[in-house]
Amino acid sequence: MGHNEQKWEEKQRTAPLYEALKRHTASKPHSFHVPGHKMGQSFDQESKAFFHNYLSIDMTEITGLDDLHQPEGVIAQAQELAAAAFDAEETKFLIGGTTVGNLATILTVCRPGDKIIVQRNCHKSVYHGMVLAQAEPIYVIPAVDPETGLAAGVRREDVERLLIEHPDAKAVFLTNPTYYGMGIDLEKMATVVHRHNIPLLIDEAHGAHYGFHRSLPPSAMQCGVDVAIQSTHKMGTAFTMCSMLHIQGERINRQRLYHYLAMLQSSSPSYPLMASLDLARRHMVMEGSKEWTRAVALTDYAREELKKIPWLHVVQKQPNQVYQTSDPLKLVLTLRTSLLSGYDLQARLEEAGIYPELADLHHVLLISSSGTTEEDIERLIKCMEQIHLQIKQVATTTFESGMVSSSFLRKKVFSMHEAIDARAETVPLEEATGRICVEMVIPYPPGIPLLTPGEEIDTQVIRLLQELRDKNARFQGVADGQMKTLRVVQTEHERYGGK
């Protein structure tokens, strides 16, 4: 180990924000500041002991603990260490999840009326960012994996075609990897986008662990992306709501980005959440490699065992013509039986105490991580074997997915922000064909809108929503969570162009 490398590792062993909180607590201070529980002195008696350690570091911006919105001390040091660990020039802690990073990034690059090229199967927060910015999305439609019916990444040639057709686009915003762990060659994509001298922005919510182990794909920062927003709580070990935003290069107006982050994040950020980001970074660097080796091996073992179930297709780690990278810690199960839907399998697993990340009509997604144990894997395999014996199906059925690329392409009549403000009425779902949606219809998880405000509702999406509804899927963004009705633009509003 060289001198510089040794010095870098010594720095990474520290956790300046967490250590400052520990020192402050150990000094037994007298709190005459918020929060009102005064380091746990006043709290619900039944749960006080359970939350004691957390409460003791639940602080505010007092001397020695720095300020997230103007960091100059331990928070600044913690963010600098994170930037070094994640190969970024600069890193900002987010205590509102990747959502707040997506919002701030889009507001940074887009002003009202600006175009932005966006992957159509992106998270709802990206759409919310475009609504706030009053930006015009130019959608790039994802390729669909024929083996699973899942929307994967986007093709470089499709992005480049849109860049040529829309030379005034301000940025390209993509998701990598997808919720299901499928990804693209980001280095080549960055080369394509940068030829047009605009930034490539990546929602890397599910890739916070990328680049930290030889079995994992490289990270967005390692591929030359301008901004990457990661959910450190998803595949790292930070507390829920904790994310990081990484920046490099000169294509982003950083002062404008800081401005929006300050506006969108709480003026009273949680110190336990920020400390968990500090510790998650240290854990990733110092302990992650060994734990990822174990987690990948366990997940590979589960993948091989589950492949023995004849009505189950388990997505392999090897990339194919639709996606170029794959997260080995995602177990994507595609059901090839008429006896169970993804929701049915999820329910059976939960009865056995096994809780998947998500289910849809034909799939169940299970996510391993550095915290997955051998007991977890053995329990999953045993449970799946028992389910197989219960349904007694040996022969596989033909897999027919309702997902095609056109599932993400609807006629846009109004901009999203105009549709949201339009006069609306409620109609039965079955009578909504040809109407203009004013809601964002989001099966959750995964949180990818099937309909956005301003899009025309067609028979294909109605059939898909009916099928999801009948299988008790959960929906966000709609007034009627039972999906019996939809809110649409009033007929008069459509006739007179919204006037």
Side-chain angles (χ1 to χ4, degrees), residues 110-392:
C110 289
R111 290 170 171 79
D114 281 348
K115 296 177 181 177
I116 180 170
I117 295 172
V118 176
Q119 185 169 335
R120 180 56 180 85
N121 60 324
C122 59
H123 188 260
K124 63 177 182 174
S125 59
V126 177
Y127 293 91
H128 294 161
M130 292 187 291
V131 170
L132 291 174
Q134 296 186 16
E136 179 186 347
I138 306 299
Y139 293 128
V140 53
I141 305 304
V144 173
D145 176 31
E147 289 189 346
T148 63
L150 292 170
V154 297
R155 301 188 305 171
R156 291 193 303 279
E157 53 266 38
D158 290 338
V159 172
E160 184 146 40
R161 174 179 51 81
L162 292 176
L163 286 166
I164 294 170
E165 291 176 2
H166 301 276
D168 51 345
K170 300 300 181 182
V172 174
F173 199 116
L174 305 178
T175 301
N176 194 82
T178 67
Y179 212 138
Y180 297 93
M182 299 170 176
I184 59 179
D185 188 326
L186 271 185
E187 187 172 357
K188 291 181 180 178
M189 183 66 77
T191 299
V192 167
V193 174
H194 290 161
R195 278 204 299 265
H196 295 262
N197 199 31
I198 60 173
L200 175 58
L201 318 171
I202 297 295
D203 179 341
E204 201 174 22
H206 283 269
H209 57 317
Y210 277 19
F212 280 93
H213 191 273
R214 63 184 180 276
S215 297
L216 301 172
S219 71
M221 285 288 105
Q222 291 169 343
C223 293
V225 165
D226 300 273
V227 172
I229 308 103
Q230 297 176 333
S231 294
T232 323
H233 66 96
K234 281 185 167 66
M235 297 302 292
T237 55
F239 291 162
T240 297
M241 284 182 66
C242 294
S243 294
M244 295 187 192
L245 186 150
H246 306 298
I247 318 162
Q248 63 185 350
E250 304 299 324
R251 296 181 183 86
I252 295 295
N253 184 333
R254 299 193 191 188
Q255 291 304 317
R256 186 173 168 87
L257 178 60
Y258 307 156
H259 170 75
Y260 281 112
L261 283 175
M263 289 178 65
L264 294 167
Q265 298 210 89
S266 171
S267 59
S268 301
S270 164
Y271 273 81
L273 294 186
M274 290 188 288
S276 82
L277 282 169
D278 196 17
L279 293 170
R281 179 270 314 160
R282 182 171 74 176
H283 177 264
M284 196 88 78
V285 172
M286 306 310 302
E287 304 167 48
S289 182
K290 181 179 178 180
E291 293 189 358
W292 294 127
T293 297
R294 179 184 57 80
V296 169
L298 283 174
T299 312
D300 284 347
Y301 168 67
R303 188 175 286 107
E304 292 304 311
E305 290 300 305
L306 294 176
K307 280 169 56 179
K308 298 175 183 178
I309 298 175
W311 46 267
L312 203 62
H313 172 75
V314 186
V315 174
Q316 298 304 295
K317 292 192 300 181
Q318 291 77 15
N320 62 20
Q321 70 275 15
V322 176
Y323 55 94
Q324 290 78 55
T325 65
S326 179
D327 186 349
L329 296 172
K330 298 289 180 75
L331 281 171
V332 183
L333 311 182
T334 303
L335 280 69
R336 295 182 171 175
T337 171
S338 59
L339 301 181
L340 288 176
S341 70
Y343 299 112
D344 295 330
L345 179 57
Q346 178 186 33
R348 294 199 182 204
L349 289 170
E350 289 177 352
E351 288 173 1
I354 297 169
Y355 290 84
E357 173 66 17
L358 67 84
D360 61 27
L361 292 169
H362 304 289
H363 310 90
V364 170
L365 171 63
L366 303 117
I367 299 179
S368 299
S369 77
S370 58
T372 300
T373 66
E374 186 174 346
E375 181 183 359
D376 295 331
I377 296 297
E378 292 293 351
R379 179 62 178 154
L380 169 65
I381 294 168
K382 183 177 180 180
C383 182
M384 288 298 299
E385 290 172 344
Q386 290 173 341
I387 293 171
H388 173 55
L389 292 174
Q390 290 166 4
I391 70 170
K392 295 183 173 63

Side-chain angles (χ1 to χ4, degrees), residues 424-436:
E425 60 181 325
T426 301
V427 299
L429 175 64
E430 289 73 17
E431 298 176 14
T433 303
R435 304 298 296 273
I436 310 305

Side-chain angles (χ1 to χ4, degrees), residues 372-499:
T372 300
T373 66
E374 186 174 346
E375 181 183 359
D376 295 331
I377 296 297
E378 292 293 351
R379 179 62 178 154
L380 169 65
I381 294 168
K382 183 177 180 180
C383 182
M384 288 298 299
E385 290 172 344
Q386 290 173 341
I387 293 171
H388 173 55
L389 292 174
Q390 290 166 4
I391 70 170
K392 295 183 173 63
Q393 178 152 345
V394 176
T396 59
T397 61
T398 301
F399 174 70
E400 295 182 2
S401 170
M403 180 65 72
V404 292
S405 293
S406 60
S407 298
F408 295 102
L409 190 58
R410 317 248 93 76
K411 179 182 178 182
K412 185 171 68 173
V413 180
F414 298 145
S415 67
M416 284 190 286
H417 67 274
E418 288 174 331
I420 287 172
D421 289 333
R423 293 192 299 273
E425 60 181 325
T426 301
V427 299
L429 175 64
E430 289 73 17
E431 298 176 14
T433 303
R435 304 298 296 273
I436 310 305
C437 194
V438 302
E439 301 181 293
M440 196 170 289
V441 184
I442 311 166
Y444 200 90
I448 298 168
L450 287 178
L451 276 169
T452 65
E455 290 183 332
E456 184 175 308
I457 303 165
D458 56 36
T459 55
Q460 181 189 38
V461 75
I462 287 179
R463 286 197 300 268
L464 183 54
L465 291 174
Q466 288 171 328
E467 191 173 6
L468 288 167
R469 177 191 65 189
D470 294 344
K471 294 295 184 180
N472 297 316
R474 292 188 293 124
F475 293 90
Q476 292 185 350
V478 291
D480 179 7
Q482 301 302 310
M483 197 44 63
K484 295 179 181 178
T485 61
L486 275 178
R487 293 181 69 245
V488 299
V489 177
Q490 283 186 0
T491 305
E492 294 82 2
H493 190 97
E494 294 175 40
R495 183 177 301 147
Y496 297 107
K499 296 181 180 179

